[in-house]
Amino acid sequence: MGKEGRITAHQIAAMLGVSQPTVSRALRGDKKVNEVTRARIVALANELNYSVDHNALRLRTQQTYSIALVILCRRGENKANINPFYLSLLGCIAASASERGYNLIVSFQDSPANFFANYTGSRQADGLIVIGSGQNIEGWQFFGEYARHNTPMICWGASKEDLISIKSDNVQGARLAIEHLLSSGSKKIAYIGPTNSEQPPFQDRLTTYMAVMAQKGMPPICPPLPENAVREDQGYAAVKGLIRDKVDFDGLFCANDFIALGAMRALDEQHIAVGTDVRVIGFDGIATGAYAQPPLTTIEQDYVQAGEMLVEALIALLKGDAPNIAPVPVKLLKRGTA
């Protein structure tokens, strides 16, 4: 049995008393196979030097066993400067796809000149995951239109109704952030984030902020953000505006971590102590926040579970099943800013 390929999946199935489809699924990394059974199958396959003939598998099933991942960037954005939240999500999607026997094709897209979605028609992939900047309105419109052609597609936080989308529990995250600011002593909390975004995550965070302020009898503080600026510059400009207009505030709920980092820069320039004079909470849980001074308190999204849910939802679509689109859990990471 030393020569690769001499043993068949059918023979492995017979040796272990399982079905051939179970062997095939186990060797593709299908999570639905019992872990003990999968370990037995993989161990025997390794012992017999058996490996899956992927070319034959593709021919037999008419599947590529590849997933395309499109990351939408802001138009003209240097790919090295993309929000690290999406890079972390990319890594978790890649790991989840690999565990389930799928390759990942990654594409960074930012304008109509390079928009591309026909991965299934060109037989490059079985389905498509789209994540990325909510500021790329053209991109989301493009993929929203393409989804009407019955392309299997799952998105992260998309605004288009014709796109199947998974997102974090933004309502719970916003409540955790605001309640923590209140319990820490903040009485005049401002929301620093988009107030007219089509992106559901920002809509949910703003709506929750407004609801909690109303419940507490506190007036909302929502300074405008400059359009078409990077998030850090938006946070910086918004807080500079509050200081310039002499608005009284002692807490900031920032719609994402980059906005929070920009807000902290504006406070620091005015010698306003972050964490004591003004408490700041971000949203996302990017690694950069841990190295800010002081380290950024934030609402962390579960990247690993988000990656798994995106991949599992797409595979469900490929099988003709209903995808699980439950909210991804979040938690408060308490650090030095609040």
Side-chain angles (χ1 to χ4, degrees):
M1 298 290 182
K3 186 177 179 180
E4 182 177 279
R6 287 180 62 183
I7 191 77
T8 67
H10 180 77
Q11 289 171 306
I12 292 175
M15 291 177 188
L16 295 176
V18 299
S19 68
Q20 182 176 337
T22 297
V23 171
S24 298
R25 288 197 300 271
L27 295 177
R28 290 201 307 269
D30 192 326
K31 291 282 189 177
K32 291 186 177 180
V33 178
N34 177 279
E35 188 58 39
V36 174
T37 301
R38 185 164 62 143
R40 291 173 59 219
I41 291 169
V42 170
L44 183 58
N46 289 338
E47 180 184 337
L48 300 175
N49 292 325
Y50 173 83
S51 64
V52 178
D53 185 339
H54 290 283
N55 289 329
L57 180 63
R58 293 185 185 102
L59 287 172
R60 186 170 66 252
T61 63
Q62 294 298 296
Q63 290 182 258
T64 66
Y65 289 97
S66 292
I67 291 171
L69 172 64
V70 171
I71 304 175
L72 283 175
C73 310
R74 296 174 66 250
R75 185 189 277 262
E77 181 177 39
N78 185 325
K79 307 308 180 290
N81 295 332
I82 192 170
N83 188 331
F85 168 80
Y86 296 114
L87 298 180
S88 296
L89 191 54
L90 182 160
C92 292
I93 291 170
S96 179
S98 178
E99 287 175 359
R100 290 156 178 79
Y102 283 80
N103 297 314
L104 194 67
I105 301 169
V106 180
S107 174
F108 291 85
Q109 302 182 21
D110 69 345
S111 67
N114 57 41
F115 288 158
F116 180 77
N118 191 28
Y119 291 94
T120 56
S122 60
R123 299 296 300 147
Q124 297 180 60
D126 298 323
L128 178 62
I129 295 174
V130 184
I131 67 175
S133 174
Q135 292 175 291
N136 193 327
I137 305 300
E138 291 176 306
W140 288 111
Q141 288 174 339
F142 174 85
F143 285 98
E145 177 65 28
Y146 207 86
R148 298 176 186 172
H149 301 293
N150 297 318
T151 294
M153 187 185 301
I154 297 289
C155 302
W156 175 261
S159 60
K160 293 295 177 184
E161 292 181 359
D162 44 9
L163 290 173
I164 302 173
S165 184
I166 290 174
K167 60 182 180 178
S168 285
D169 194 341
N170 295 289
V171 171
Q172 173 65 7
R175 285 195 175 277
L176 285 173
I178 298 164
E179 287 170 3
H180 181 70
L181 287 171
L182 290 169
S183 66
S184 299
S186 294
K187 293 180 171 55
K188 298 174 182 176
I189 301 170
Y191 169 80
I192 311 297
T195 56
N196 59 353
S197 174
E198 293 185 3
Q199 223 177 356
F202 288 136
Q203 293 174 352
D204 290 346
R205 295 167 200 177
L206 173 60
T207 300
T208 304
Y209 164 80
M210 298 296 286
V212 175
M213 291 297 100
Q215 290 168 4
K216 302 294 182 181
M218 297 177 172
I221 305 171
C222 302
L225 271 60
E227 295 183 5
N228 301 318
V230 298
R231 294 302 187 193
E232 186 173 356
D233 290 345
Q234 288 183 329
Y236 175 83
V239 173
K240 286 280 283 187
L242 290 177
I243 296 169
R244 179 195 63 235
D245 297 338
K246 302 187 185 315
V247 176
D248 192 12
F249 65 96
D250 58 7
L252 299 178
F253 169 44
C254 299
N256 76 7
D257 285 349
F258 268 110
I259 289 175
L261 294 173
M264 290 170 60
R265 180 160 57 92
L267 294 171
D268 185 62
E269 283 185 359
Q270 299 299 313
H271 306 291
I272 298 171
V274 175
T276 52
D277 295 339
V278 175
R279 298 174 181 86
V280 180
I281 295 185
F283 206 115
D284 280 346
I286 63 173
T288 308
Y291 300 100
Q293 290 300 322
L296 177 63
T297 297
T298 186
I299 301 299
E300 183 183 53
Q301 307 186 66
D302 191 329
Y303 294 96
V304 173
Q305 188 163 341
E308 290 180 347
M309 287 179 66
L310 285 163
V311 172
E312 287 178 353
L314 181 59
I315 292 174
L317 279 184
L318 297 176
K319 294 179 178 178
D321 299 331
N324 176 17
I325 53 173
V328 175
V330 298
K331 66 179 179 181
L332 174 72
L333 281 183
K334 190 179 183 306
R335 295 182 180 136
T337 62

